[in-house]
Amino acid sequence: MTLDINRFNGVPLHLQISEALRKAVSNGQLQGGERLPSTRSLAGDWSVSRNTVLQVFETLISEGYLEARVGDGTYVKRQVLGDFTATSATDERPLETKASYPFRGLSQRGKALIAHRLGGLTERPTLFMPDVPDLQAFPIRSWLRLMNEVSGRLKGDILVNVSNAGYEPLRDAIAQHLRTARGMMVESRQVIITTGSQQSLDLLARLLVDRGDPVWLEEPGYVGARAALMANGCSVLPIPTDEEGINIDLGRSKFPTPRMVLVSPSRHYPLGGTLSAERREELLDLSRTTGAWILEDDYDCEFRYRGQPFAALQSVDRDGRVVSIGTFSKTLLPSFRLGFVVVPIDLADDFAKARAVIDRHAPIMEQMVLAEFMHRGLYSAHIRRMRSLYAERQAAMLQLLDETLSYTPPEFECAGGMHFVLPFKEGVDDTAVAHELWKDRIVSRPLSMYFSGRRKCSGLLLGFAAFRAEDILAAGKHLAGLGDLIRRND
């Protein structure tokens, strides 16, 4: 505890300290119930005698500011007595009540950064929260065993010489997984470890585009991507998307020379379509002729239940224009903040240097455990287990939608994913519907929030991956009133 003690103004030390502690309690610097250090410790901190501190404590205990607990120490009293208005003439008003200055405030980039922060409904895994994996199915025992095992290796050079691009064995494991599972032609040095997809997007926006550069973004599209791009000064251009993915022809007719195109070709978020083979070729041709970067968000590629998945777009890129991002928050845990970027070989060193400027590297312990988890085949086994489990829950969700609302999602949407979109008729306020459902503790996301243009479609995102089949079916009564709102194509 730091106090400003004046030893030359003639005011006794115990009075100065008592007044300082009264102010600390009054303005909330010391919270009710907070335990104070021992009198010996405080005497050493303040360079006063212990008797002085004892005198201060006795005074404040008698005034009701503090309370002594036998054998436990001295605490700030939770409900203090009397009027604790500070007697000092110093202006102690909270910062927000003082006169504002013309130069006080966020930068334009800071305002842009927070403008797209989503508020509102809870993010807790409650029916039917989208994009949440099954937390109960996480192999916690295997994870803790590996954590205990690798902690013994946390010594010497490994604690100091961690590459800015990430822990080398983890980069090897990710590269091997991408070659096998996604058909990507990738070396470990192309893999840059980040703290998740949001940091990956921010890193790419900083390094590959300049302020004002035009960037194509799927419409509707991932809100986090839009926020990262706009916070870095990009000119975000919404390009309509259908069941075959982003409409390249329409994009060319409106904005023919983008600097970057951000797509989710394996499974579009949030509508669920897959970028068709024809449009993949068109997109690669656009990149080849204009020099545009293609940012591939390989979202949800692991959870496909019908048909064969497309290989990653990067696997057919012959010009080194595709940059891919991935995350483990959907396959492992939402709080597991590790992701990666796969960059062209000639840019790998530059990205590693930029990573060093931002925050050096991700936490080493988590990287080491994940590397072992992947190298031993536990990650692939976990994905297979989750794919089977989520397929059962998708079937339960389809049954619920059919029996409760007489609605069947389109075939392309049933091929995979962790949620369904329930489309509403034009004019329905999906945000209001989502808040009404929340009164029954049912969580959804309004589809309209994923649109940045003037024209917005209405609907709800309903997740199923994190919830047992029996719980999904039992919750049908909460959705029964939505039948008249649904847009039907039959």
Side-chain angles (χ1 to χ4, degrees), residues 413-446:
E413 197 176 348
C414 299
M418 302 169 68
H419 73 264
F420 283 119
V421 175
L422 192 64
F424 287 163
K425 298 174 183 176
E426 188 173 351
V428 174
D429 185 347
D430 53 5
T431 301
V433 175
H435 279 88
E436 282 298 312
L437 289 175
W438 173 236
K439 293 178 180 179
D440 292 331
R441 315 306 290 180
I442 298 297
V443 178
S444 59
R445 286 208 191 110

Side-chain angles (χ1 to χ4, degrees), residues 131-177:
D131 309 324
V132 181
D134 187 345
L135 308 184
Q136 301 300 320
F138 180 73
I140 186 64
R141 291 184 179 178
S142 297
W143 190 265
L144 291 176
R145 185 176 66 251
L146 290 176
M147 183 177 292
N148 183 62
E149 180 181 324
V150 303
S151 63
R153 304 204 300 265
L154 280 172
K155 54 186 177 181
D157 290 346
I158 200 170
L159 291 173
V160 179
N161 296 327
V162 180
S163 169
N164 296 319
Y167 182 55
E168 295 290 352
L170 177 57
R171 298 168 71 192
D172 291 339
I174 292 174
Q176 180 179 347
H177 173 75

Side-chain angles (χ1 to χ4, degrees), residues 275-316:
L275 190 64
S276 65
E278 181 180 358
R279 290 192 181 176
R280 286 172 180 246
E281 286 299 324
E282 292 176 357
L283 182 56
L284 291 171
D285 179 68
L286 172 75
S287 174
R288 193 176 301 116
T289 56
T290 65
W293 292 103
I294 300 175
L295 203 169
E296 177 181 25
D297 185 356
D298 213 14
Y299 171 81
D300 237 0
C301 62
E302 297 88 357
F303 303 126
R304 190 172 182 88
Y305 318 121
R306 304 181 186 181
Q308 292 297 315
F310 278 100
L313 189 63
Q314 190 265 6
S315 66
V316 293

Side-chain angles (χ1 to χ4, degrees), residues 57 60-61 65-77:
F57 275 23
L60 296 182
I61 289 171
Y65 287 88
L66 305 180
E67 62 177 338
R69 301 180 187 176
V70 178
D72 192 22
T74 304
Y75 289 76
V76 178
K77 203 162 186 177

Side-chain angles (χ1 to χ4, degrees), residues 184-226:
M184 295 173 64
M185 303 299 294
V186 55
E187 300 178 17
S188 60
R189 60 181 171 143
Q190 294 176 252
V191 178
I192 310 295
I193 306 299
T194 68
T195 56
S197 59
Q198 205 60 34
Q199 188 189 58
S200 298
L201 289 163
D202 181 68
L203 183 66
L204 291 165
R206 294 193 197 197
L207 268 66
L208 298 183
V209 290
D210 291 313
R211 297 186 66 82
D213 280 350
V215 177
W216 285 10
L217 184 64
E218 295 166 320
E219 175 81 344
Y222 177 44
V223 179
R226 187 194 315 158

